[in-house]
Structures are given as C-alpha cells and as structure tokens.
Amino acid sequence: MSDSTINSYGGILRFGAGFSIVLMTLTAIFIWFYLTWIGRLDIFLQAVTFNELFSFSGIIFLSSIILFCGVLFLPCLLGCLVIHGNQNNAKSKRKKVLQAFIYAGSSFLCITFVALISLFDIDPGEFTFIALMLLTGIISVFITFILQRKSIRSHLKSLNTITKIKILLLDYSMKPFLLGINCWLVVFPITLLSKFLHVESGMDDYQQTSLFLVYGTLVIVINIFPLIFFLRQDFSRGWFKPLRNTTGVVFALLLLSSAFMHVIPLLIVNMAFRMTGMTIMEPVTISIKTDEIPSEMLHSRGWKYQLSEDKKFSLVSGVIFFSYGGVYLVCPKETTKKFRESIIFDILSEEIEKKAREEIKKSAQQCIAVDKSALNF
C-alpha cells in the first residue's frame, strides 16, 4: 500500500473520529441542557454513558440545529442567492452591500405592513398580501434607482433606447424587485418565535405593535449581518472558504441569540427529542414494579396509582418526559402543561421566564426515574 493511500485513509479516520467526538459532545450538551431546564440533573450520570453516547442520536441533534437555522436564517439564505453575482471587485461588493441594506429596509417595511394589518384589524386576504408583496418589490426598485442614479446615468449615457430598457430591467430592477418580494420570508422566523413571545395583559394595541416591531427588527438584524458578511467575502478562489466562514458566523449568531433568548435552544432540544423519541408527551398507562419503585414513594410524590391484584405492579397514568440509556423519567400529565408554559421569552424582563422555569422545576420533582426493565406499557 502506497504512502498516499495510507495518508488518505488516515485522514478519513481522523475526520471520522473527530466527527464522532463532536456528535457525542453535542448529545451530552443537549441532554444536560434539557435536564437542567426541568431541574432533574440528578439523573444525568445515570442516563448518559459512553456506550449510549456512541449512537446515531447525535446526527439527529445536529440535524435539528441545521433545520432551525434554516428557518431562522431563511431570509439571509434567499438574500445571498439573489444578491450574489459573478463580479468580485470592490465596486461590485459595495453595490451588493447597498442591496443588502435595501433588503433590510424592505423587510422592515414588510413587518410594518403586518403590524398595521393586525393593529387596524384588516382582513388579510390573498389579494392583500399579493398586492403588498408587489408594492414592496416596486418600492425596493424605486429606492435602488434613487441611490444608484449617478451610476445608472453614467452606464446608460452612450447606449441606445432598447439597450437602456434592457439594462434597466435586468441589471437594475430585477434583483431589487426579487428582494422586495423575498423580504416577506422574514415572516417565517418571526411567526415561529412570536408564538412564545410574552405579552403583558395590560398592554394596549399600540404597545403590542411597538413590541412586535422591536422584535421583528431584531430578527432582521440577525439575518442581515451574516448576509453582508457573505457578500464581502472573496470568491476568487472558490466557494468553500466563504461558505465555511459564513456558516461559522451563523452559528456564532445562533449561540449569541440563545444567550439572550433561552427559548431558542429549548426549541431546538425539544424538536430533537421529539425526532429521536426521547420524549413521549402523550399520556400512557404504565405498570411499575413495586420492588423497584415502592407504592409509598409514589404516594409521597402525589401520584395517583392502582395496585395490581398480586401487588407486584403499580398502575399509573403519566408521560415519558425523558428516556435515554436505561432510564425513563415518568412524570404526571400536568408536567407537560408546565413544560409548555416554560417555553416563553420576554424582551423587556426576565422575571416571567424565571417564574416559568421555577414552575417546571417544581413540577418535575414529582417525576420518578425508573429503569426500563421495571416498566411495562
């Protein structure tokens, strides 16, 4: 076997080993975060072993991060595809960055339209949204013409009429118009996260609209920053390095956003656990061996149970709140409600989030950690 073949196999093995370590670490972090959130970190070492970490669950966890980024950064992705071109000089980069800022302005105009529709209770029919999408596209083209009027004049100065119309439509109108329509994609990440946005009951319609605009602006900024970073990259040596660097920026922004909005990592973890079957939130009837979990323990934690005729099993109705390795965390049905209520964030204060987390931690103390061999469904 030649040295080049050995080196290539060695490179593949090193990559496989490194990737496996990343997946195992990711799995451990996901489980640690979830158990910390519900206040049951006491079963972490009981559930997580090396043999269990060395599984395909890490791939599911990584996929959940990528899927969430695909939704959160969807406007950024489509903006990159529309704005990026073959030219790579300084002048073209400035033009691309200008288009990115126009894209951001169009996105803010979009969420303003949505806020006004909600504020004045306008019936949002299909025709209304189509008309607004066309309007944002036309406004985007109009702003582009104003900001680039000097370059447009110099470009069209010595051309005939047909060529001028062609250049105006294809070079100066097409991309801004598409960006004006694509800006409505910002609605998807806003809709996803706004479901968990806490709104004070005493807020009037104008205060709620202002809160929505602030929140929407935050989502736009999160998307525009990696877009501008991508457009300023040097593509003369290929796409790999710009894509790698931009992906790093996207994940860094995801981590930064997660530090301020804890609902983001919780949504990712919850989605991953549902995909892997590590949580079963639907109520099920479970029989637990009394020699493993005495009925007195169930009674002391407020469980309603029924002993079997031979008194070897306790029948309880609950949910599988966590399962990994050889451990099931069985919880009362009410814990599911508390968990859903804990998926919340407040831009103005952390008190609501802290209160919701305390409630889920308190409810999770009723849960019992049971070995899989002690359960029957």
Side-chain angles (χ1 to χ4, degrees):
M1 188 178 293
S2 63
D3 293 338
S4 59
T5 305
I6 294 174
N7 291 333
S8 62
Y9 278 122
I12 294 172
L13 290 175
R14 285 192 295 270
F15 174 79
F19 188 64
S20 299
I21 292 173
V22 170
L23 294 180
M24 292 169 65
T25 304
L26 192 63
T27 302
I29 291 173
F30 270 51
I31 295 174
W32 174 86
F33 177 84
Y34 182 79
L35 294 178
T36 301
W37 188 270
I38 64 175
R40 291 306 305 264
L41 198 58
D42 55 298
I43 66 171
F44 179 79
L45 294 179
Q46 184 181 353
V48 178
T49 62
F50 179 80
N51 290 335
E52 294 296 335
L53 286 176
F54 196 74
S55 64
F56 290 102
S57 56
I59 297 177
I60 303 296
F61 295 153
L62 181 61
S63 300
S64 66
I65 296 176
I66 295 173
L67 287 173
F68 189 86
C69 285
V71 176
L72 182 60
F73 294 98
L74 182 62
C76 172
L77 175 61
L78 270 295
C80 290
L81 293 176
V82 172
I83 298 175
H84 178 71
N86 295 325
Q87 294 180 338
N88 199 35
N89 52 53
K91 184 178 179 180
S92 66
K93 287 182 180 180
R94 287 195 298 268
K95 182 179 177 182
K96 293 173 185 177
V97 171
L98 177 62
Q99 289 176 340
F101 281 114
I102 294 174
Y103 186 38
S106 300
S107 300
F108 182 78
L109 184 63
C110 164
I111 63 173
T112 302
F113 284 145
V114 174
L116 292 175
I117 289 173
S118 176
L119 181 63
F120 296 106
D121 294 326
I122 300 173
D123 184 18
E126 294 181 3
F127 177 77
T128 302
F129 279 115
I130 293 174
L132 289 176
M133 290 174 68
L134 293 175
L135 180 60
T136 52
I138 293 170
I139 291 174
S140 180
V141 173
F142 182 71
I143 294 173
T144 301
F145 280 0
I146 292 176
L147 296 178
Q148 295 184 328
R149 59 187 182 276
K150 292 183 179 180
S151 61
I152 292 175
R153 285 174 185 171
S154 61
H155 191 183
L156 303 179
K157 193 172 182 181
S158 59
L159 301 175
N160 58 55
T161 304
I162 297 177
T163 306
K164 286 180 181 179
I165 295 173
K166 182 179 177 181
I167 291 175
L168 281 173
L169 291 176
L170 297 180
D171 293 352
Y172 291 100
S173 299
M174 183 64 72
K175 284 187 178 181
F177 184 76
L178 290 176
L179 291 174
I181 294 177
N182 284 344
C183 70
W184 284 87
L185 293 171
V186 76
V187 171
F188 287 98
I190 291 177
T191 302
L192 172 65
L193 295 178
S194 62
K195 293 179 181 179
F196 311 100
L197 177 64
H198 176 258
V199 179
E200 292 289 345
S201 58
M203 282 187 174
D204 57 30
D205 292 341
Y206 291 97
Q207 288 175 324
Q208 292 183 25
T209 301
S210 300
L211 181 63
F212 174 78
L213 290 175
V214 171
Y215 162 66
T217 303
L218 178 62
V219 174
I220 292 171
V221 171
I222 291 174
N223 277 273
I224 292 302
F225 185 80
L227 172 60
I228 294 176
F229 180 85
F230 175 78
L231 296 175
R232 294 179 65 88
Q233 295 292 297
D234 183 11
F235 292 88
S236 60
R237 297 183 179 180
W239 282 70
F240 177 75
K241 188 175 180 181
L243 286 176
R244 182 197 63 188
N245 295 341
T246 307
T247 302
V249 170
V250 166
F251 280 112
L253 278 173
L254 183 67
L255 290 174
L256 183 62
S257 302
S258 300
F260 293 98
M261 292 186 289
H262 299 124
V263 69
I264 290 179
L266 184 59
L267 287 174
I268 297 173
V269 170
N270 187 44
M271 178 173 62
F273 277 25
R274 291 295 187 92
M275 292 169 65
T276 56
M278 292 172 64
T279 56
I280 305 174
M281 294 297 184
E282 291 75 19
V284 292
T285 301
I286 306 167
S287 60
I288 304 175
K289 291 181 180 179
T290 53
D291 56 349
E292 295 284 343
I293 304 294
S295 56
E296 292 80 7
M297 180 184 293
L298 295 174
H299 179 74
S300 65
R301 297 196 180 188
W303 280 84
K304 294 180 180 180
Y305 64 94
Q306 182 179 356
L307 286 174
S308 61
E309 293 182 359
D310 56 7
K311 296 184 179 181
K312 292 183 178 181
F313 294 92
S314 298
L315 301 178
V316 298
S317 180
V319 294
I320 306 299
F321 217 66
F322 171 77
S323 64
Y324 194 75
V327 178
Y328 273 132
L329 186 65
V330 184
C331 298
K333 290 181 286 187
E334 293 77 12
T335 308
T336 303
K337 180 182 177 182
K338 296 294 183 181
F339 177 75
R340 289 170 180 163
E341 291 175 352
S342 73
I343 308 177
I344 189 173
F345 75 100
D346 193 331
I347 295 177
L348 304 177
S349 174
E350 293 184 356
E351 294 302 320
I352 300 297
E353 297 179 30
K354 289 181 179 179
K355 184 178 179 180
R357 287 187 65 181
E358 290 301 323
E359 289 293 327
I360 180 60
K361 287 182 178 180
K362 181 180 178 181
S363 181
Q365 296 308 310
Q366 290 184 273
C367 304
I368 50 175
V370 186
D371 189 89
K372 286 185 178 181
S373 59
L375 288 180
N376 287 312
F377 293 91

